[in-house]
Amino acid sequence: MPSPALEPARLLTLVSGSGVAPASAPRPYFHPVRSLSGTVLTDVAPADHIHHLGLSVAFSDLNGTNFWGGSTYTQDRGPVVLSNHGNQALDGWSDDAGRAAGTVLWTSRHGTLLAEERRSMEVFAHPAPGTWSLSLTSVMVPAGDVPALEVSSSAVKGRSGAGYGGIFWRFPADCSGTRVFSAAGAGADAAHGSRSPWLAISTVTGGAPVTVVLAQDNPVRPWFIRSEGYLGVGPAVAWSKKAVADAAHPLVQSLRAVIHDGAVASPDQALHLLEHHPAVRTPSHPDRTS
């Protein structure tokens, strides 16, 4: 249970996304996400990628519809802006003392309901000073007569390294001095594409040092992370091949996060924070394999 002093409503805000421009694939998102001291850790519609929306769930290709926003990667022309954007809409959302859940309806570019998602969020207290924990879970199934959901990505279509799509966290544009740690080694290059069960980002934003330690449940998917040009990260559902789900085999995603006011300088420090997240089982020491 969250401590009464935690005040979950001050730590993250759910925005319906109903006012988002069609070309940015309207969808619900969390923004701002804050540290306990009030440092903002998300960005919305930044100049470099106006379709990035805080902490959200998005795919560049779900059954042929772009739910990511912006351009679509094509094999013959590369990235092209097409009129193929879908939208996500909340269908009820209950929020009670740091536990929240609701249904998200995914509608295709043709106005067809493609998927129904059950999304849930929970906030937890953390014993470390200036620290709190977050869990985000998504379970998606085909809607109506849709037989299956097929998730693709730019990487699947031929753009190397661009396997993004799923739960995605866009950090503020002013992040500097960023350090990345994972079980695959130090640095974003080591983490990118790895199946490390955890990943830590230590950065300075808003003039304050802050660390976000992330973890996945099984199955652990490859991480998409970019730290040059902008800072954004998330597990990639279709890193190198399509992901397929149906009513009997839903598409399940999860992201566990520990948000800490302050920097960390080593994997051991990051794991020490993560081991107190109630939904995460952490290794006793970093595993230097990918």
Side-chain angles (χ1 to χ4, degrees), residues 65-131:
T65 292
N66 181 341
F67 287 96
W68 182 268
S71 63
T72 296
Y73 185 79
T74 62
Q75 292 180 329
D76 56 343
R77 293 182 291 166
V80 180
V81 177
L82 304 174
S83 297
N84 65 343
H85 300 97
N87 69 83
Q88 303 173 40
L90 290 173
D91 185 30
W93 186 262
S94 62
D95 195 337
D96 181 22
R99 293 184 178 91
T103 299
V104 181
L105 303 178
W106 296 59
T107 303
S108 79
R109 56 179 172 166
H110 303 298
T112 301
L113 182 61
L114 281 180
E116 296 182 7
E117 176 198 358
R118 185 67 176 174
R119 192 175 301 181
S120 60
M121 176 277 294
E122 191 163 4
V123 168
F124 305 93
H126 192 286
T131 308

Side-chain angles (χ1 to χ4, degrees), residues 3-290:
S3 163
L6 203 60
E7 298 186 72
R10 296 185 61 186
L11 299 177
L12 75 170
T13 300
L14 177 67
V15 181
S16 72
S18 59
V20 171
S24 290
R27 58 191 181 274
Y29 58 90
F30 291 100
H31 176 76
V33 178
R34 301 180 186 270
S35 71
L36 282 182
S37 71
T39 300
V40 175
L41 298 171
T42 48
D43 204 352
V44 167
D48 53 66
H49 290 78
I50 61 172
H51 51 281
H52 286 183
L53 302 175
L55 174 59
S56 67
V57 183
F59 300 111
S60 64
D61 188 328
L62 175 65
N63 289 34
T65 292
N66 181 341
F67 287 96
W68 182 268
S71 63
T72 296
Y73 185 79
T74 62
Q75 292 180 329
D76 56 343
R77 293 182 291 166
V80 180
V81 177
L82 304 174
S83 297
N84 65 343
H85 300 97
N87 69 83
Q88 303 173 40
L90 290 173
D91 185 30
W93 186 262
S94 62
D95 195 337
D96 181 22
R99 293 184 178 91
T103 299
V104 181
L105 303 178
W106 296 59
T107 303
S108 79
R109 56 179 172 166
H110 303 298
T112 301
L113 182 61
L114 281 180
E116 296 182 7
E117 176 198 358
R118 185 67 176 174
R119 192 175 301 181
S120 60
M121 176 277 294
E122 191 163 4
V123 168
F124 305 93
H126 192 286
T131 308
W132 65 281
S133 297
L134 169 69
S135 283
L136 181 62
T137 302
S138 165
V139 181
M140 294 177 64
V141 294
D145 296 328
V146 177
L149 300 177
E150 292 191 4
V151 178
S152 188
S153 69
S154 298
V156 173
K157 299 173 184 178
R159 186 180 181 186
S160 178
Y164 54 82
I167 300 174
F168 185 72
W169 188 316
R170 170 62 200 247
F171 285 79
D174 71 341
C175 287
S176 63
T178 301
R179 301 185 70 184
V180 177
F181 303 100
S182 72
D189 288 346
H192 187 65
S194 78
R195 292 183 183 269
S196 172
W198 62 276
L199 184 151
I201 296 170
S202 189
T203 192
V204 176
T205 181
V210 67
T211 298
V212 177
V213 188
L214 302 173
Q216 303 182 51
D217 295 342
N218 287 322
V220 175
R221 296 185 169 98
W223 291 99
F224 174 88
I225 179 167
R226 181 168 171 180
S227 60
E228 296 293 331
Y230 72 85
L231 181 57
V233 62
V237 170
W239 177 257
S240 58
K241 64 180 181 180
K242 287 185 178 181
V244 180
D246 57 29
H249 305 90
L251 177 60
V252 180
Q253 303 176 74
S254 66
L255 191 67
R256 316 302 181 193
V258 175
I259 295 92
H260 172 68
D261 277 307
V264 300
S266 70
D268 285 335
Q269 284 183 290
L271 286 170
H272 181 69
L273 290 171
L274 190 59
E275 70 184 7
H276 293 288
H277 193 302
V280 175
R281 298 183 63 182
T282 60
S284 58
H285 57 81
D287 176 5
R288 297 297 183 184
T289 64
S290 59

